[in-house]
Amino acid sequence: MMNMRPILFRGNTAPWTGKKWVLRVLSSLVCGILVMVLGNIIIDPYGILRSDFSLQVQEPNTHFIKIKYLLKNRGRFDSFLFGSSRVGGIDVKKIPNGRFYNMTYSEGLPEEHLRNLRYMLEQGVKVRSVMVGLDDFSYRVDPRSHDFDLLRQQHPAVSGKSWITFYSEYFVRFGRFIPSLRDYIRQNVLHRPNRSGMIIIQDVFDSGRALCLNCDEMIDRDPDAHRAADKFSKPFHYDGDHLDVALQSIRGLVVLADEWGFRLTLFINPIHRTTYLDTDLPLMFRFKKELAQISDYYDFSGLNTVTTDNYYYHETSHFRERVGDMMLNRMTGLPKVFVPKDFGALVTKQNVDEHLGRLMRQLPAQATAADRQRQRTVPE
Amino acid sequence: MLFNSYEYLFLFLPVTLAVYFLLNRKRLTTAATAWLVLASLFFYSWWDVRYLALILASILFNFGIGSALAVLGRRTAAGITAKAVLIFGIAADLSLLGYYKYMDFFIVNLNRFIGTDLAALKIVLPLGISFFTFTQIAFLVDTYKGRAHEYDLLRYSLFVTFFPHLLAGPIIHHKEMMPQFANIRRRVVNYRNVSSGLFLFFIGLFKKVVIADELSPIAGFGFDQASSLTLIEAWVTSLSYTLQLYFDFSAYTDMALGASQLFNIRLPENFNSPYKSLSIAEFWRRWHMTLSRFLRDYIYIPLGGNREGNVRTYSNLMATFVLGGIWHGAGWTFVFWGFLHGAAAVLHRIWTGLGITLPRALAWFLTFNFVNIAWIFFRARTWDDAVKVLAGMFGMNGLKLSKSAAKYDVLRDAGVQFGDLFFRSFANSAPLLIIAALIISLVARNSDEMARSFTPNAKTAVFAVVIALYSLLNMSRMSEFLYFNF
């Protein structure tokens, strides 16, 4: 009769010596781990080891990559724009007076900006000017949630994590290996286009931004269809309350600016209407009020001509470069672009109550007024 | 340093093991002992080097007291009795523990009840202090009673600091450990022990990474972040924690025992499928067994145990459990948790005394649910959080089902709510994971049983490779073990 037991287990009850068991198990483990490590190094989904991002298949961990790059190129830049991925919509080369680098990284938080900046200064990076973009989630996301987030964790020299742990997290893991491998093969072996049709290049070491080469063309082909897209009804939703942590970090930035003598400009990003109306507005207003006690800032959020027009956004989180230009014009005077009157206000300790009152009054009448205003806007 | 960290797995453990046996092979046994002590202190100070001085001071102090007790015996010298020395030693140990663990709790309650306005000191609890304090108290008592003596500081240091048990137990006795270290045969690599040690270690790693850490965010959200919980959400929350605590702590113990076995040292077992228990008494014979042993031998029995009548027995039981609760943490919820277990133990004693027995299924059901509910107070940071979970478990916030169930009129008519249950967004398979973990804890052989029946062969090798590889490649975040908080 045929032996139906799997080959592996035929005669398996015969014991091995302890030494044989140990050697076979450990060598199997070592082989398994090495195969995984090699595969992860080749694919390197988060770009940890890359200096060339042409083969990058997903968003890299720019929290780590940019600090690594700056430490090797300390003299290249002397001014920095910190913020979440949203400030990736700002072309820092248009900012006057300074060699700016865009430090945009995914879900960047004030505490992270503070720690990065402090570390850069301690490592001898000269800083003349810093701009920091803040978001509706700046005070909602717990910075500790990024500690083991492969996309968002900080450079080990900044976070204090050991290098062994840091690299092991990326390379001794299975995790998303299969999807990453699939995407790697699709893009770099079969040369198939991105499913979304967008052509994105990671310009990490020059502008510091992820550049979409055909996004503007795709939107301008049919702006009305873009405006009506279903994605604009889905907010980017956040929970949590870490207001104290965020404000403390921002205070830290102000103190750092005083200590090291660089110019600090704070601003709140233009939050898309859908995401804005989904957020905890009382908490946001509290944040804005307390922020004004710490420093003046520009507020591009609220319901205005830009934030209520889907044309200016890729989805309900990220604004387009033309919005970034408007923001720069409001804050620095350049570049020379048309900026709607209701877009961007300089908020101070003295006028914050008035400003918040204006924002609160917007809320009931937001729908019709914004629609009327949009019809009068002259798109670029 | 965590057992489930890359530094420990790939560097610390292999290097410590290799150098230890290499030194022994060259007959440098004292150097090997010193190496193990140094490695253990390095292991401890990896967390925070500032507390290295604390553990060293504690070791020196207790060694001194132990030496004095050994010399005095039961005599008196210069007017000082051995008992006085013992009391002094224990008081000093408890004072140290009290300062680090309970000072802020004391200040907060002083402010609350007396109306003072003292600022909390915000003392950081040194890792493992509860464990190495209790270990040394046990040593002092055993020395006083003539059951142990240690005249060598290096050996004593090894007893206290031996890294597999240093941070979260098992709480060991001097007499069960030191003869093993003294045994020259144990100083030679024993591949049988290495294989069984690795087997047990990998089981522990799997339990930690794959089960406990997956349950952690579910329990965390339910207890700490949700503003209210409906019926299913509350039960998912409480069961998640009940299972997380067991798998997390027993995983730590497995890894401690497994690592220790690599050195040919057997640590005492700490868990024996506690959720299979049919009574609270049985539960405490299966859960954190070395702590139960300590509480029995050094608190319950010295108080009189069950030798002085029923009323005294009940009060001794209650005192022991309340102190056990306090040991776990500086908070009234811990005290209440201890009180609940004390009350249950007393009740069990009463009805056992009356000859009442319950059908097995009912006995298990009552025991498991009591333990599950009591853990709520153990876990909750505030009374409000505990009440929130309990209220949900008893249906006070109604029942919520997923939106797909809304099509059933009978449910709508019954007042059922429809929407996303909180764990769907980040742990969609939470119910399945809970069921799987329950089955494992209630039906499967536990890790010690598996280790005892371990035979090095192809089947166990494949099993070990699969669980180890899966665990190593899915350590998405290095989470601390829950009992590090105690």
Side-chain angles (χ1 to χ4, degrees):
Chain A
M1 191 146 84
M2 216 166 127
N3 187 342
M4 299 302 290
R5 292 177 79 206
I7 283 178
L8 188 61
F9 297 132
R10 284 181 201 168
N12 72 320
T13 52
W16 296 348
T17 61
K19 189 170 185 175
K20 189 174 174 183
W21 192 97
V22 169
L23 289 174
R24 287 188 175 188
V25 164
L26 290 183
S27 54
S28 303
L29 281 177
V30 167
C31 287
I33 291 170
L34 280 176
V35 164
M36 205 73 255
V37 166
L38 201 61
N40 279 318
I41 286 175
I42 292 169
I43 298 174
D44 194 6
Y46 294 96
I48 298 303
L49 300 176
R50 287 191 195 288
S51 53
D52 170 8
F53 289 87
S54 56
L55 299 179
Q56 188 67 23
V57 295
Q58 68 181 61
E59 186 178 353
N61 179 0
T62 46
H63 288 247
F64 165 76
I65 293 164
K66 288 181 175 178
I67 295 294
K68 184 172 91 164
Y69 175 67
L70 284 176
L71 293 178
K72 288 185 182 160
N73 297 275
R74 276 166 232 254
R76 188 167 172 205
F77 304 101
D78 64 7
S79 301
F80 302 90
L81 167 61
F82 283 90
S84 68
S85 55
R86 290 176 184 173
V87 305
I90 298 176
D91 183 358
V92 296
K93 293 188 172 172
K94 295 175 182 172
I95 304 177
N97 305 321
R99 287 173 283 125
F100 266 88
Y101 182 54
N102 193 328
M103 288 291 287
T104 174
Y105 35 64
S106 179
E107 209 170 75
L109 301 169
E111 183 177 299
E112 293 169 329
H113 307 326
L114 175 63
R115 290 169 80 178
N116 280 333
L117 192 49
R118 186 180 286 137
Y119 181 72
M120 284 158 56
L121 289 162
E122 286 168 358
Q123 295 303 309
V125 176
K126 294 276 181 286
V127 178
R128 277 180 57 189
S129 183
V130 170
M131 300 177 82
V132 179
L134 301 165
D135 302 282
D136 49 309
F137 56 78
S138 295
Y139 47 88
R140 308 210 71 180
V141 175
D142 184 353
R144 290 172 304 179
S145 68
H146 290 176
D147 288 352
F148 295 100
D149 186 332
L150 299 185
L151 176 61
R152 299 177 174 126
Q153 65 170 316
Q154 293 191 287
H155 192 285
V158 177
S159 64
K161 184 177 277 192
S162 80
W163 283 99
I164 296 172
T165 300
F166 181 80
Y167 282 117
S168 297
E169 284 169 356
Y170 285 97
F171 302 117
V172 183
R173 73 189 313 269
F174 185 70
R176 286 185 46 81
F177 181 75
I178 300 292
S180 298
L181 178 64
R182 190 188 55 220
D183 290 340
Y184 186 88
I185 292 172
R186 178 200 295 274
Q187 178 181 300
N188 299 320
V189 176
L190 302 175
H191 302 292
R192 290 212 187 126
N194 194 313
R195 275 196 207 91
S196 63
M198 295 192 290
I199 304 169
I200 297 176
I201 60 167
Q202 299 288 344
D203 186 30
V204 177
F205 303 130
D206 190 21
S207 65
R209 305 159 62 202
L211 303 173
C212 179
L213 302 181
N214 62 343
C215 284
D216 279 345
E217 183 202 320
M218 285 168 68
I219 292 171
D220 288 329
R221 210 179 288 151
D222 191 348
D224 288 334
H226 176 78
R227 281 193 172 99
D230 185 49
K231 60 185 173 182
F232 289 109
S233 64
K234 294 171 186 151
F236 273 65
H237 181 82
Y238 293 91
D239 288 308
D241 180 353
H242 297 278
L243 190 65
D244 293 342
V245 171
L247 290 170
Q248 195 176 336
S249 302
I250 295 168
R251 251 180 236 114
L253 285 166
V254 172
V255 167
L256 209 60
D258 283 340
E259 273 174 21
W260 291 84
F262 59 81
R263 188 187 148 136
L264 177 67
T265 308
L266 301 177
F267 62 91
I268 298 179
N269 281 314
I271 301 164
H272 186 277
R273 156 193 178 164
T274 304
T275 296
Y276 180 78
L277 292 175
D278 176 76
T279 198
D280 182 338
L281 285 170
L283 184 62
M284 175 180 272
F285 287 170
R286 234 175 79 210
F287 170 69
K288 290 183 178 185
K289 172 105 188 223
E290 301 206 25
L291 181 60
Q293 315 307 312
I294 298 171
S295 167
D296 298 347
Y297 60 92
Y298 288 89
D299 188 359
F300 294 99
S301 71
L303 298 170
N304 54 55
T305 306
V306 172
T307 61
T308 55
D309 189 348
N310 297 338
Y311 177 76
Y312 291 114
Y313 288 81
H314 294 288
E315 15 60 12
T316 56
S317 182
H318 300 90
F319 50 83
R320 294 170 65 188
E321 188 174 324
R322 56 197 64 208
V323 177
D325 290 347
M326 289 190 232
M327 293 165 70
L328 289 179
N329 178 279
R330 183 67 82 211
M331 292 189 283
T332 68
L334 286 170
K336 296 286 181 207
V337 294
F338 169 75
V339 183
K341 251 195 213 167
D342 64 346
F343 184 61
L346 177 61
V347 181
T348 67
K349 206 187 298 191
Q350 289 72 36
N351 72 7
V352 61
D353 288 332
E354 185 196 331
H355 173 69
L356 292 179
R358 201 164 42 240
L359 291 180
M360 274 191 252
R361 284 192 297 276
Q362 282 175 347
L363 294 172
Q366 51 87 17
T368 47
D371 289 338
R372 280 199 298 273
Q373 189 71 3
R374 186 170 60 245
Q375 283 158 18
R376 288 197 288 271
T377 301
V378 178
E380 299 253 337
Chain B
M1 196 183 292
L2 300 173
F3 286 168
N4 56 326
S5 69
Y6 297 103
E7 292 92 342
Y8 179 83
L9 293 167
F10 297 143
L11 280 179
F12 178 83
L13 187 59
V15 169
T16 303
L17 195 63
V19 174
Y20 175 72
F21 282 113
L22 196 65
L23 288 170
N24 277 312
R25 199 169 166 182
K26 292 186 182 306
R27 301 183 196 279
L28 299 168
T29 52
T30 304
T33 302
W35 165 254
L36 215 42
V37 171
L38 281 170
S40 299
L41 290 172
F42 176 82
F43 174 86
Y44 184 78
S45 53
W46 183 267
W47 164 69
D48 191 334
V49 71
R50 291 175 297 175
Y51 291 102
L52 183 60
L54 179 75
I55 193 172
L56 287 173
S58 177
I59 287 170
L60 280 170
F61 174 79
N62 283 281
F63 177 73
I65 297 290
S67 300
L69 287 171
V71 165
L72 276 171
R74 296 291 181 126
R75 296 165 294 149
T76 302
I80 302 170
T81 62
K83 192 164 189 177
V85 172
L86 174 69
I87 291 169
F88 170 69
I90 293 175
D93 283 335
L94 291 176
S95 299
L96 185 77
L97 182 62
Y99 172 77
Y100 279 101
K101 201 162 178 174
Y102 303 107
M103 183 54 82
D104 280 340
F105 175 66
F106 175 73
I107 289 171
V108 163
N109 283 283
L110 201 64
N111 291 342
R112 184 184 295 163
F113 293 116
I114 299 179
T116 48
D117 191 26
L118 301 168
L121 301 177
K122 295 192 178 150
I123 299 168
V124 175
L125 183 69
L127 216 52
I129 190 170
S130 302
F131 290 91
F132 68 69
T133 300
F134 268 30
T135 295
Q136 295 186 98
I137 288 176
F139 169 73
L140 292 182
V141 174
D142 287 348
T143 303
Y144 172 77
K145 292 186 175 177
R147 293 200 291 245
H149 41 257
E150 184 55 73
Y151 302 113
D152 185 289
L153 178 59
L154 189 63
R155 282 163 46 89
Y156 179 75
S157 302
L158 181 60
F159 159 64
V160 177
T161 63
F162 184 47
F163 69 88
H165 83 92
L166 176 58
L167 299 183
I171 301 171
I172 54 177
H173 285 316
H174 184 272
K175 62 179 186 287
E176 69 191 342
M177 293 303 300
M178 298 323 289
Q180 295 189 65
F181 280 113
N183 186 336
I184 213 76
R185 284 203 196 93
R186 290 180 188 257
R187 298 232 170 201
V188 177
V189 176
N190 180 325
Y191 283 100
R192 186 61 168 85
N193 284 340
V194 174
S195 58
S196 61
L198 284 176
F199 184 73
L200 185 56
F201 187 91
F202 292 146
I203 291 174
L205 184 65
F206 184 85
K207 282 160 69 175
K208 170 66 173 162
V209 171
V210 177
I211 303 177
D213 285 352
E214 291 300 314
L215 290 168
S216 172
I218 305 167
F221 192 94
F223 272 98
D224 303 328
Q225 295 187 52
S227 51
S228 70
L229 297 166
T230 56
L231 185 71
I232 294 176
E233 290 170 329
W235 277 96
V236 164
T237 297
S238 76
L239 287 172
S240 291
Y241 183 70
T242 292
L243 293 163
Q244 178 202 353
L245 183 64
Y246 169 59
F247 281 98
D248 191 282
F249 194 16
S250 66
Y252 173 88
T253 302
D254 293 340
M255 294 171 84
L257 266 61
S260 181
Q261 237 173 287
L262 302 181
F263 294 86
N264 299 324
I265 302 298
R266 301 234 167 230
L267 294 178
E269 292 173 2
N270 228 2
F271 293 90
N272 183 16
S273 301
Y275 292 151
K276 293 179 182 174
S277 302
L278 302 181
S279 71
I280 203 68
E282 186 180 357
F283 175 79
W284 282 101
R285 288 195 296 273
R286 290 170 174 263
W287 176 275
H288 203 173
M289 288 147 56
T290 57
L291 177 67
S292 301
R293 179 177 72 174
F294 180 93
L295 293 173
R296 180 197 66 208
D297 292 344
Y298 301 102
I299 296 179
Y300 179 67
I301 289 175
L303 283 175
N306 61 0
R307 297 189 303 268
E308 299 183 32
N310 282 341
V311 171
R312 185 64 188 267
T313 300
Y314 304 151
S315 65
N316 290 342
L317 270 175
M318 185 59 82
T320 303
F321 276 104
V322 168
L323 286 171
I326 291 170
W327 176 85
H328 278 89
W332 290 113
T333 49
F334 288 108
V335 176
F336 187 66
W337 170 80
F339 167 77
L340 284 178
H341 275 269
V346 167
L347 191 64
H348 176 256
R349 215 164 232 274
I350 292 170
W351 87 43
T352 307
L354 293 172
I356 300 171
T357 54
L358 297 172
R360 282 180 69 91
L362 182 61
W364 172 81
F365 182 81
L366 289 173
T367 305
F368 181 80
N369 279 289
F370 169 78
V371 168
N372 182 41
I373 287 172
W375 282 138
I376 291 170
F377 295 94
F378 191 83
R379 169 59 173 84
R381 288 182 192 168
T382 64
W383 290 108
D384 288 342
D385 286 338
V387 168
K388 172 186 71 182
V389 177
L390 281 171
M393 285 172 77
F394 289 97
M396 290 177 188
N397 295 324
L399 169 67
K400 188 201 284 183
L401 296 174
S402 67
K403 289 174 193 163
S404 57
K407 61 189 178 206
Y408 299 107
D409 293 340
V410 63
L411 294 173
R412 271 208 308 279
D413 294 343
V416 172
Q417 305 160 51
F418 300 98
D420 288 329
L421 301 172
F422 79 79
F423 47 84
R424 289 292 180 211
S425 59
F426 57 87
N428 200 30
S429 54
L432 282 175
L433 179 60
I434 288 170
I435 290 168
L438 266 174
I439 290 171
I440 293 170
S441 61
L442 297 178
V443 174
R445 288 188 304 157
N446 62 49
S447 43
D448 290 320
E449 288 167 340
M450 292 172 72
R452 267 181 249 127
S453 65
F454 167 79
T455 303
N457 56 31
K459 192 165 146 189
T460 56
V462 168
F463 177 76
V465 169
V466 167
I467 61 170
L469 211 49
Y470 188 86
S471 307
L472 289 168
L473 297 179
N474 286 285
M475 291 193 330
S476 56
R477 55 184 289 271
M478 275 185 312
S479 56
E480 284 183 359
F481 290 90
L482 290 176
Y483 257 72
F484 282 13
N485 296 321
F486 312 126

